[in-house]
């Protein structure tokens, strides 16, 4: 069995992993703080690239 880890901090995931949708893909994180951090990072990247064409 492969070990599942948090997409944000690489901690081992347990049964209470939180699923977060980023760029059309779903990733799992270990806690609400990691979920928020990934959402904020995606928002920052989207805001930076929106003006470029």
């Amino acid at each position: 069995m492969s070990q599942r880890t948090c997409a944000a901090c690489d901690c081992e995931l347990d049964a209470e992993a939180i699923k977060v949708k980023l760029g059309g893909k779903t990733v799992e994180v270990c806690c609400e703080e990691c979920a928020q951090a990934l959402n904020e990072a995606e928002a920052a990247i989207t805001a930076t690239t929106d003006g470029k064409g």
Side-chain angles (χ1 to χ4, degrees):
M1 187 164 113
S2 64
Q3 182 182 24
R4 299 179 343 180
T5 58
C6 175
C9 70
D10 289 332
C11 289
E12 188 174 341
L13 294 175
D14 58 17
E16 297 183 24
I18 300 168
K19 292 185 179 186
V20 178
K21 195 159 195 135
L22 298 173
K25 292 186 177 185
T26 301
V27 297
E28 293 182 307
V29 294
C30 63
C31 64
E32 202 54 50
E33 289 178 16
C34 286
Q36 183 176 354
L38 285 182
N39 283 326
E40 288 174 359
E42 182 183 36
I45 290 169
T46 302
T48 303
T49 59
D50 276 348
K52 298 180 181 177

